[in-house]
Amino acid sequence: MTSRPPLHCLRCARAAEGFAGCRTCAAEGIGVNTMPPLADLAGADLAGYPGGPWGLPTALPVSGPPVTLGEGNTPCIRLRTGPERPQDGASAGELWLKYEGGNPTGSHKDRAMAVGVAAAVTAGAGTVVAASSGNAGAAAAAYAARAGVRCVVFTNEKVPAGLRAQIDALGAERRVHPGSTAARNAAMAEAVEEHHWYPLTSYSSPSPGGNPYANEGYKSVAYELARDFAGRRIDVVVVPTSRADLLAGIGRGFRELAAAGLIAHEPRLVAAEPSAAEPSAAAPFTAALRCPDRADQERTRVAARPTVAFSLGEERPCWQGLDALWRTAGTAVALDDEAIGAERRRLAAQGLILEPSSAVGSAVARDLARTPGTLVVAIGTATGLKGLAG
Amino acid sequence: MTSRPPLHCLRCARAAEGFAGCRTCAAEGIGVNTMPPLADLAGADLAGYPGGPWGLPTALPVSGPPVTLGEGNTPCIRLRTGPERPQDGASAGELWLKYEGGNPTGSHKDRAMAVGVAAAVTAGAGTVVAASSGNAGAAAAAYAARAGVRCVVFTNEKVPAGLRAQIDALGAERRVHPGSTAARNAAMAEAVEEHHWYPLTSYSSPSPGGNPYANEGYKSVAYELARDFAGRRIDVVVVPTSRADLLAGIGRGFRELAAAGLIAHEPRLVAAEPSAAEPSAAAPFTAALRCPDRADQERTRVAARPTVAFSLGEERPCWQGLDALWRTAGTAVALDDEAIGAERRRLAAQGLILEPSSAVGSAVARDLARTPGTLVVAIGTATGLKGLAG
């Protein structure tokens, strides 16, 4: 427990304990995560990196034994661009999809939960707890089972049948909280503070955006891309974004690679958000980046609305995501349900079934890849198989 | 088309054309596949092999461009053995699971269909056709979509809802044949012979066990295992077996590796079969290997019975599977529904959800791994996610 590196607020740099993010920034209405220092990758052999969070264990803030189900090392697939036929896209940029649906439970969340559960075990936890309406809950359940610790998942009625069945099959205890996010947060806070359960997701408001140790698992997405595109310049990485845990983790991975001289250039990061009918509803990063100054961007609040991309849809931009976008001169783009549906059909026509919130990324990336000579990677966060028979 | 290497019967060595297997052996009542020569892997850099069928393209009998969705390079995960607690298995052998559910459509079939569809495109086919009650149909649909060719899947009413939805979402034309296997074979033969559709699965009786070019995609499972266990001796590989396409492909891969001096020892191969209540029903390899002489083994016929492992269950042992077992002094083991169900629960308790026919492999492997010092790998052929919400 004592071997974990200290956490500091990403925004105000104050040291912090626990998993509620920075309380000082929260008092200003801003949800900021507290994180360990960046890892020093100097001397790392990227060509020999086997992929996954445990492939570069010194990059992780966890000292105990790995918990693994073979997560990570997912394929990066070149997508056809242009209207319909391959030859039409010949003069445009390159569009690639990093397919995270190939992970053991079917989503990118496996990278985080592998590390988060290992951190929990190292901390001596007997029970882990996650609040999730979807993939994070399934991943938490799987890695807890793998490590032999008890798992409780706080969820709501909107969880699709496939995910519910997955969480149940993995032996997690599912507690349905029909109430507000605030009520669910309160229940989870009680579990953490009274019962000393280890939290794999956030439970404070505004949300800091995930367990800091778990989130470090996402850095491996950047390492794998740098390895696979060895020496080639990746111009843009588009990330489906809700609380920006994946976005921020990928950004940190690229920063570490650049600091160690392992890449010459950090890609521009783009947050892809689903939006409801009103342009900015449920798309806090897109709304925030319309404000000219950062103080207003940090305090943006939008209406949360249901979209087909059920696993996304936040009211505020988690600060860790803004930070990642600012550092790379990135941006955010919101798409409505119709555009997401069209992209899902386009992906299926190339042999790929992704969940709606994953298709947001490749739809946004598809537009950016129209620029000739540009290399754009979309993160396809999760398989669409879970929802097919639901 | 002309660049494809010639096919020869595995049993009688006669040259053959087409996809109906060896007609001479079929006249004796034995279903034998015709295959291209083994590849020469001399000088291959196994440590630098990136995985998947296209990672060693010279090992494939296809000259055209790859068709890929990032298949292969799946993780190999060490499973806990012993009754319940990790420490109980300390003195026994090692049990590993190669998790093929991480493939793009969720099963090992992706390795074959990637190569099979590439062969179809090289042959100038505009339509591919597969007869499948499950994963092969989904994989055929995905790779056909990826290559931009039309796909027809002949199926029956037993296809689970999730798989049906997957095939439909990928844009394949699904034709339900409620009749016998013979009627389905006849319809497919007509499609191949009259309409010149390219067959990705077999349609003759006794079944030879799959398209020869497609089946070569499975060799990559052996290459990946040899790479990942670099230098360590793999004692046994257990393969869930129906028509033995995967079993035979893995066997061929290890033979190539051994011939090139890339491994010192070919693992013993074990066919894992689901059985109905009667010990040998639906378990032709297990039944065959009870006969003392090979001539009787080749002609074994059992009753096909439904089991929970819906994607398995054949009446005859495809000769390619017997050949793989004979060459490695292997064996076959049949398990009933109850044993399969118990193993699925054991896997879920370690964080893994596999389909029933995949759990057969790890259940059989678990027994073999009780021998101290033995390294046993089970092939976990497919994800269980597709059936969860069905």
Side-chain angles (χ1 to χ4, degrees), chain B residues 147-174:
Chain B
V149 299
R150 180 177 165 230
C151 181
V152 178
V153 181
F154 288 103
T155 185
N156 60 31
E157 306 102 328
K158 284 185 290 183
V159 181
L163 271 161
R164 213 163 50 214
Q166 188 183 16
I167 293 169
D168 293 349
L170 290 165
E173 190 182 320
R174 194 162 45 79

Side-chain angles (χ1 to χ4, degrees), chain A residues 202 238 340 343:
Chain A
S202 295
V238 181
I340 294 170
E343 177 64 14

Side-chain angles (χ1 to χ4, degrees), chain B residues 175-277:
Chain B
R175 297 194 186 172
V176 180
H177 273 257
S180 63
T181 305
R184 197 168 71 162
N185 279 348
M188 191 157 153
E190 187 190 323
V192 172
E193 283 148 28
E194 310 278 311
H195 310 307
H196 305 291
W197 295 357
Y198 186 94
L200 292 170
T201 60
S202 296
Y203 53 92
S204 51
S205 177
S207 175
N211 178 298
Y213 301 103
N215 284 5
E216 289 289 84
Y218 295 127
K219 296 190 301 189
S220 53
V221 173
Y223 308 157
E224 291 171 20
L225 288 173
R227 177 199 62 185
D228 292 348
F229 285 97
R232 290 197 67 196
R233 177 187 164 113
I234 303 169
D235 295 291
V236 186
V237 176
V238 181
V239 187
T241 295
S242 168
R243 292 182 172 177
D245 46 347
L246 177 60
L247 177 71
I250 292 174
R252 285 169 64 86
F254 281 122
R255 282 172 68 195
E256 291 175 349
L257 291 163
L262 293 166
I263 55 172
H265 161 85
E266 287 178 49
R268 200 170 155 233
L269 297 177
V270 174
E273 302 181 285
S275 80

